[in-house]
Amino acid sequence: QVDQMAFRPARWRVARYLLTLAGRDGLVSCTQEDIAAAVSASRVTVSRILNGFAHSGWIALGYRSVTLLDPESLSALQD
């Protein structure tokens, strides 16, 4: 059986990864390399996606961390 995540767009996979790992405070402690390896995407692709999410106001980027500001919008990407 093939993992269904492999057929999803990278934006979907990154959003799911962040939602899955976020704590109660919305904090995900990881690097872009960590995310890229987990979702089978390049670091450049992950960087572009995260910057887009940040520009939309959904996340805040920090040093080795991502804070979810609008998890509902990230969840909506998975519909």
Side-chain angles (χ1 to χ4, degrees), residues 10-19 35 46-61 66-70 73-75 77:
R11 281 174 49 93
W12 187 96
R13 297 192 315 260
V14 171
R16 180 161 182 119
Y17 179 83
L18 294 174
L19 289 166
I35 298 170
V46 169
S47 177
R48 192 173 303 130
I49 291 167
L50 291 176
N51 283 319
F53 289 171
H55 183 73
S56 296
W58 300 347
I59 64 170
L61 297 173
V66 178
T67 304
L68 306 188
L69 302 176
D70 187 357
S73 292
L74 291 174
S75 291
L77 286 177

Side-chain angles (χ1 to χ4, degrees), residues 8-41:
R8 302 288 188 166
R11 281 174 49 93
W12 187 96
R13 297 192 315 260
V14 171
R16 180 161 182 119
Y17 179 83
L18 294 174
L19 289 166
T20 300
L21 290 185
R24 286 191 180 292
D25 58 358
L27 183 65
V28 179
S29 296
C30 62
T31 65
Q32 291 181 4
E33 288 283 343
D34 296 336
I35 298 170
V39 303
S40 300

